[in-house]
Amino acid sequence: MTITYVLMQNLKRNPLRTLLTAVAFALPMAVFVAAISLVVTFIRVAQANEKELRLGVHHRVSLTIALPAGMRRKIEAMDADGTRLRAVCGMRWFGGRVPDTQNTLTSLAADADSFPIVYSDVGMSSEESAAWQRDRTACVVGSGPAAQYGWKVGDRVVLESTVPPYLSLEFHIVKVMDQTERGNVFYFRRDYLVEAMKSGGIDDARCNIFWIKCNSVEGMRSLQKDIDAKFANSPDETKSEDENAFAANFTQGSGDIPGLMRAMAIVVLVIVALVAGNTMMMSFRERTRELAVFKAIGFQSGRIFRIVLAESVMLALIGSVAGVVPVAIGLALAPVRGLRMGPVSSLELSPTAVVVSLVIGLLVGLSAGLWPAYQALRLRTVDALRRVA
């Protein structure tokens, strides 16, 4: 009688309980894969931003308080020899909304000359850069809104501003960004916005933030200190921070999404562990006499230990695979699009999440089966037969 035969018989002993236990494993593990995939995506976005060495400079009090456009020249003058920065790009929040919808896009008006340099990771080709420089209405759109509204390169689209002076502007799409970290962003030329505001009688060329493309980490840190020191105790006192720090502060209103996903993953693990532990303890109590008989006919204690532990591991792996594989296949074949979680616009499968999920399923099975297996190891045949007879 092999261990495999015994395990299969035990799993078939109570099919309904085996099925329900597998489902109780599968559903939380499916959620776990999705949650960890999203956390991995945020980590990947943060790593990509870190490599770009961008420094954001905005008003110390609030991002909504605009800074003079001339501050760009002052910042550039702080690095006359060009050793610390490559370019400075001023940006202004537009808060664009597609007409007849309530969906607000992260839309920003950017300096036309320096945007392709500061945001070189957008990946604009020479033709796309030429179109951006040539057409004042040019815009660069993230893959999220492009997929949501069916936009493509060459289309003309209209956005209505949700902030004063509430303009309605038409744009010409010259680039659709497929980068995950730019999935929900809409960039257009700031001179186009300034010109439209002047046409409405508003002469305001101020910027909400200046993004600086730096040459090195050391240069970025020194510029951060020097800029804030230069404008300290002035009406335009600044706060400079790297892109990851800025993104974390900017998205605080939406909550700590990666943190929430991690908390959800922990809850999932606790649920799975409780389900597995309860199932194995019930199975052990029901089979105490059977295990005693095994010992009576010559099964060694170590073999009994392995049978009980293997049953727990097999049940955990069956449930984990049942939950992980369908989600993995689904995300691999059809990633979730249209997410509006900060910069992330899509949820794609993370191989790391799949591997971690299966390893955790294995560990949960081991931990849930250890105590029942230890009790089986210490089981005395006479006492067990007397207790259940």
Side-chain angles (χ1 to χ4, degrees):
M1 186 186 303
T2 64
I3 292 181
T4 302
Y5 175 80
V6 174
L7 291 178
M8 296 308 298
Q9 294 303 313
N10 288 338
L11 292 177
K12 293 189 293 184
R13 183 191 306 274
N14 193 329
L16 180 60
R17 185 172 68 194
T18 300
L19 175 62
L20 292 177
T21 302
V23 171
F25 260 90
L27 294 179
M29 294 307 287
V31 174
F32 183 87
V33 171
I36 296 302
S37 293
L38 189 59
V39 171
V40 169
T41 300
F42 273 100
I43 293 174
R44 190 166 65 248
V45 169
Q47 291 174 340
N49 289 339
E50 187 176 354
K51 292 179 181 178
E52 293 304 318
L53 299 175
R54 278 189 288 261
L55 183 66
V57 180
H58 57 86
H59 199 284
R60 186 174 186 83
V61 176
S62 172
L63 187 63
T64 59
I65 301 177
L67 297 171
M71 186 175 286
R72 170 181 168 175
R73 303 305 174 195
K74 295 179 181 179
I75 295 173
E76 291 172 337
M78 297 175 65
D79 186 45
D81 57 1
T83 58
R84 293 191 294 179
L85 66 84
R86 293 178 56 191
V88 181
C89 181
M91 288 190 175
R92 181 165 182 142
W93 176 258
F94 184 69
R97 179 181 59 197
V98 178
D100 301 322
T101 72
Q102 296 301 316
N103 299 327
T104 302
L105 302 180
T106 303
S107 47
L108 298 162
D111 289 342
D113 61 332
S114 56
F115 172 76
I117 302 173
V118 175
Y119 284 87
S120 57
D121 54 317
V122 167
M124 296 177 71
S125 65
S126 56
E127 293 80 7
E128 290 166 341
S129 296
W132 167 269
Q133 299 292 348
R134 181 175 60 252
D135 187 355
R136 186 163 293 189
T137 67
C139 67
V140 177
V141 184
S143 57
Q148 183 177 2
Y149 300 109
W151 294 343
K152 59 185 182 300
V153 174
D155 286 353
R156 304 198 74 86
V157 300
V158 175
L159 289 187
E160 298 172 344
S161 175
T162 58
V163 297
Y166 305 108
L167 300 173
S168 179
L169 300 179
E170 183 181 70
F171 303 97
H172 174 220
I173 299 177
V174 299
K175 169 74 175 178
V176 175
M177 301 175 288
D178 56 4
Q179 291 84 356
T180 300
E181 58 272 17
R182 300 276 167 258
N184 285 325
V185 190
F186 186 107
Y187 295 110
F188 65 98
R189 292 176 45 155
R190 193 167 66 87
D191 54 354
Y192 178 42
L193 175 61
V194 172
E195 181 183 273
M197 293 174 66
K198 284 183 178 180
S199 299
I202 301 174
D203 187 7
D204 187 358
R206 294 177 299 169
C207 300
N208 294 107
I209 189 168
F210 293 94
W211 284 106
I212 306 169
K213 179 78 168 182
C214 301
N215 290 323
S216 65
V217 175
E218 295 75 15
M220 183 171 66
R221 298 306 176 203
S222 63
L223 271 174
Q224 183 176 8
K225 296 178 182 179
D226 293 348
I227 291 171
D228 289 344
K230 179 177 180 61
F231 298 105
N233 301 317
S234 71
D236 300 314
E237 193 168 4
T238 61
K239 179 179 180 180
S240 304
E241 50 193 353
D242 63 71
E243 193 164 10
N244 282 337
F246 172 80
N249 293 331
F250 186 74
T251 57
Q252 277 182 349
S254 302
D256 182 9
I257 297 174
L260 291 175
M261 293 299 102
R262 293 190 188 97
M264 183 186 299
I266 293 173
V267 171
V268 165
L269 294 182
V270 172
I271 293 173
V272 170
L274 291 176
V275 168
N278 180 66
T279 299
M280 291 312 301
M281 289 303 300
M282 289 176 58
S283 177
F284 173 76
R285 286 195 297 269
E286 290 178 359
R287 294 167 49 214
T288 301
R289 185 175 185 179
E290 177 185 318
L291 296 175
V293 171
F294 280 169
K295 283 197 170 186
I297 63 176
F299 275 60
Q300 297 296 322
S301 296
R303 192 175 185 186
I304 299 294
F305 178 89
R306 290 194 297 273
I307 289 174
V308 176
L309 190 61
E311 181 181 349
S312 176
V313 172
M314 178 177 288
L315 191 57
L317 287 179
I318 290 174
S320 298
V321 170
V324 170
V325 171
V327 174
I329 294 175
L331 288 179
L333 297 179
V336 179
R337 307 293 185 185
L339 295 181
R340 301 183 63 83
M341 294 184 174
V344 177
S345 62
S346 63
L347 175 59
E348 301 178 0
L349 174 67
S350 168
T352 301
V354 174
V355 174
V356 170
S357 300
L358 294 178
V359 170
I360 287 176
L362 175 63
L363 294 177
V364 168
L366 285 171
S367 60
L370 275 176
W371 179 246
Y374 176 70
Q375 288 183 309
L377 181 67
R378 298 178 62 249
L379 186 66
R380 296 182 59 187
T381 304
V382 175
D383 294 340
L385 292 173
R386 181 187 301 119
R387 185 166 65 247
V388 299

